[in-house]
């Protein structure tokens, strides 16, 4: 019976960490901490919670946090103060709503999924620490490639 309760506590702790990562993602997406606006595009650091979610939880949760990142970036790209190049992420401003949704939400969700798979593969490899460092190092490039 004690095992059951300990497992429930671990599950509860994981839920808190997952919700905290989503909150951090939203905070970074809608504050000055997640984006640097340099004309004609914005540079982002908001992919970091997606990397962390993929590392800690795996592909499914990485996909979900990536989708949150994509929805937030799509919302933010529809604002008047973003760069001209950021309009491609906005269904309202790009003139191609389906492509914008796929680029904004689909690419970021795919990024979270791929990062989660890569972390799972790295953990199961012969040298897990080296693999995790490698995935963490190339994570930004994976995000750039997906988008």
């Amino acid at each position: 019976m004690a095992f059951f309760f300990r497992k429930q506590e671990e599950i509860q702790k994981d839920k808190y960490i997952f919700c905290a990562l989503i909150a951090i993602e939203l905070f970074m997406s809608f504050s000055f901490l997640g984006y640097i606006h340099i004309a004609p595009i914005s540079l982002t650091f908001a992919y970091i919670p997606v990397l962390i979610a993929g590392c800690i939880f795996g592909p499914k949760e990485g996909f979900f946090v990536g989708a949150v990142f994509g929805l937030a970036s799509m919302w933010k790209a529809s604002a008047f103060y973003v760069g001209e190049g950021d309009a491609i992420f906005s269904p309202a401003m790009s003139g191609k709503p389906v492509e914008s949704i796929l680029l904004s939400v689909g690419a970021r969700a795919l990024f979270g999924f791929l990062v989660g798979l890569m972390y799972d593969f790295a953990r199961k490899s012969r040298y897990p620490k080296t693999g995790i460092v490698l995935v963490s190092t190339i994570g930004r490039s994976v995000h750039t490639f997906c988008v």
Side-chain angles (χ1 to χ4, degrees), residues 12-24 53 56-57 60-62 64-65 68:
Q12 196 69 13
K13 185 176 99 176
D14 287 349
K15 286 180 187 178
Y16 288 134
I17 294 170
F18 182 67
C19 290
L21 286 171
I22 291 172
I24 292 168
I56 294 174
F57 298 112
K60 185 173 67 171
E61 289 81 358
F64 187 79
V65 177
V68 169

Side-chain angles (χ1 to χ4, degrees), residues 69-101:
F69 173 34
L71 288 169
S73 71
M74 184 174 62
W75 178 275
K76 189 164 183 159
S78 299
F80 66 91
Y81 58 86
V82 296
E84 298 168 8
D86 294 332
I88 62 171
F89 295 102
S90 170
M93 296 174 70
S94 69
K96 298 180 179 180
V98 174
E99 289 89 345
S100 292
I101 292 169

Side-chain angles (χ1 to χ4, degrees), residues 48-62:
I48 294 171
V50 181
L51 278 172
I52 295 170
C55 178
I56 294 174
F57 298 112
K60 185 173 67 171
E61 289 81 358

